[in-house]
Amino acid sequence: MNCCLIFSILCDRLNDMMLWNDKPYHSLDYELKKRYGEKIYRLALNGGMSCPNRDGSVGTGGCIFCSAGGSGDFAADPSLSVREQIRQARERLKKKRPASRFIAYFQAYTNTYAPVSRLRSIFLEAIECPEVVLLSIATRPDCLGPEVTALLAELNRIKPVWVELGLQTMHEDTASFIRRGYRLDVYEDAVQRLRACGLEVITHVILGLPGEDRERILQTIRYLNTQDIQGIKLQLLHILKGTDLETIYAQTPFPVFSLEEYVQIILSCTELLRPDIVIHRLTGDGPKDLLIAPLWSCSKRHVLNTIHQEFRRRNTWQGKFCFTNTDAAGQTGIPNIL
């Protein structure tokens, strides 16, 4: 039996079998409990790196939505050693939750944008912590040269390594507008090389970018179904103070999602998404002191509760329309993706 047929059968039976326990989608929480037998928590770390889209190698302004914290506004203090960052983050978390094992998540800026010797030092320092079960690295596809991928493959033989790539969109015109700084084929090449080394790949997508309507967003999801990725982050666009996006929004206001609109697009994306792809994020919460819009996103729990309620109301699940020619709105003419 081929993989397409297996997935099709799974999709047809998900409503009865509830393969992902209490959720109608393949959540990260479910996947980690399956692998490790307990809940695993992420510790946001800071390797003190920059980004080629900021230092002049690719550009100087960074992506238009990126804050001064380099998408790591919740990450630790980079002046501390990695070991100390882990200790402090672990202690803060343990005050709220009975956590015992963790993901070392290098989040801020581009976390493979440093000499390999430096990368080896900080990544080994992280995975040598007994309570760290895996290493997760957020980076750019154009910062994964042969020496870097060889290092990540080496580390992956010690503990699992995940690589998170900030794609945001498949559309080259949008990518140019947001100043992503690399073409789509660079992303595809990075995915292929990482997978050849046995590394798991997570792709970060932003929903609500200027000029991207529902159909263009769903085109990105269909495209990602054809890529050898293991995880996805679906991120609501946040307009933050101090970004170029703030200036654009003030000078030429563009529509941002309402909560109701966002819930509907999330469900449409999930219904199209391959059921084997782990969903690491369904929304996101920007720093409240920086957030300009949409303000409803500050209440992350309410957003997630609303998404889950709509899943139940619509009696739907991840991958429902993945192997059909009809999308979540009943529109026809969409080709099969596998």
Side-chain angles (χ1 to χ4, degrees):
M1 185 179 293
N2 63 43
C3 291
C4 293
L5 183 55
I6 291 172
F7 283 141
S8 183
I9 292 171
L10 290 179
C11 288
D12 289 341
R13 299 191 63 193
L14 274 177
N15 202 32
D16 296 325
M17 296 171 65
M18 293 303 292
L19 293 181
W20 304 302
N21 292 337
D22 60 337
K23 290 188 175 71
Y25 58 89
H26 195 158
S27 71
L28 176 61
D29 183 60
Y30 168 84
E31 184 66 23
L32 290 172
K33 286 179 180 177
K34 183 179 75 172
R35 296 190 193 190
Y36 297 102
E38 63 182 280
K39 191 172 183 66
I40 308 296
Y41 293 89
R42 184 187 290 114
L43 303 178
L45 308 176
N46 193 326
M49 297 176 215
S50 181
C51 174
N53 208 10
R54 287 175 176 267
D55 70 3
S57 297
V58 172
T60 56
C63 295
I64 63 172
F65 51 78
C66 196
S67 68
S71 298
D73 297 290
F74 300 110
D77 183 350
S79 68
L80 302 175
S81 69
V82 169
R83 188 172 291 106
E84 181 61 19
Q85 289 184 44
I86 289 174
R87 188 194 69 79
Q88 289 190 5
R90 185 181 58 203
E91 293 307 312
R92 285 195 300 269
L93 186 59
K94 284 185 175 180
K95 291 178 182 179
K96 302 177 182 178
R97 303 178 181 90
S100 61
R101 295 200 283 178
F102 307 94
I103 300 171
Y105 177 37
F106 286 86
Q107 179 181 17
Y109 298 103
T110 302
N111 290 282
T112 57
Y113 191 52
V116 172
S117 59
R118 165 71 175 158
L119 299 178
R120 180 185 299 276
S121 174
I122 63 173
F123 293 157
L124 278 174
E125 190 175 352
I127 63 177
E128 285 171 353
C129 175
E131 293 173 296
V132 169
V133 297
L134 66 87
L135 176 66
S136 184
I137 301 166
T139 189
R140 292 170 55 91
D142 55 354
C143 292
L144 289 165
E147 291 186 351
V148 173
T149 53
L151 170 63
L152 299 182
E154 175 188 333
L155 297 172
N156 193 49
R157 292 190 286 270
I158 303 172
K159 288 182 180 178
V161 176
W162 293 350
V163 181
E164 178 182 323
L165 301 178
L167 177 67
Q168 321 313 353
T169 178
M170 69 165 288
H171 300 289
E172 298 285 13
D173 55 343
T174 307
S176 177
F177 176 74
I178 64 176
R179 296 201 305 259
R180 189 178 67 189
Y182 65 85
R183 293 184 58 81
L184 191 61
D185 57 358
V186 176
Y187 164 81
E188 294 172 352
D189 177 66
V191 171
Q192 292 169 8
R193 290 187 294 106
L194 291 169
R195 294 298 296 140
C197 294
L199 297 157
E200 294 194 29
V201 178
I202 304 155
T203 297
H204 190 283
V205 176
I206 295 180
L207 309 182
L209 291 168
E212 296 241 325
D213 61 10
R214 177 182 183 277
E215 178 54 29
R216 283 169 68 86
I217 291 171
L218 296 184
Q219 286 170 1
T220 293
I221 300 300
R222 296 187 199 104
Y223 164 76
L224 290 174
N225 277 339
T226 70
Q227 299 299 301
D228 187 10
I229 65 170
Q230 290 62 56
I232 190 170
K233 286 186 174 180
L234 298 171
Q235 170 73 51
L236 168 68
L237 177 69
H238 289 136
I239 302 170
L240 301 178
K241 295 177 183 177
T243 65
D244 287 346
L245 189 61
E246 175 193 13
T247 303
I248 294 169
Y249 186 65
Q251 294 176 348
T252 312
F254 55 87
V256 296
F257 283 130
S258 67
L259 173 58
E260 293 75 17
E261 290 169 335
Y262 187 70
V263 169
Q264 294 305 315
I265 197 64
I266 277 290
L267 264 68
S268 294
C269 289
T270 306
E271 288 171 327
L272 280 179
L273 191 66
R274 277 188 355 237
D276 64 297
I277 295 176
V278 179
I279 297 179
H280 289 236
R281 180 182 293 167
L282 283 174
T283 181
D285 49 344
K288 293 182 179 179
D289 58 334
L290 298 180
L291 185 64
I292 295 172
L295 294 176
W296 55 260
S297 66
C298 288
S299 180
K300 187 175 181 180
R301 183 181 297 275
H302 175 65
V303 175
L304 290 174
N305 287 342
T306 305
I307 291 171
H308 293 155
Q309 289 167 7
E310 186 64 9
F311 268 113
R312 290 192 294 270
R313 190 191 71 80
R314 279 175 43 175
N315 190 28
T316 193
W317 56 87
Q318 180 178 341
K320 183 176 183 179
F321 298 109
C322 179
F323 300 99
T324 71
N325 286 319
T326 305
D327 77 353
Q331 296 171 339
T332 58
I334 298 174
N336 292 334
I337 51 82
L338 292 176

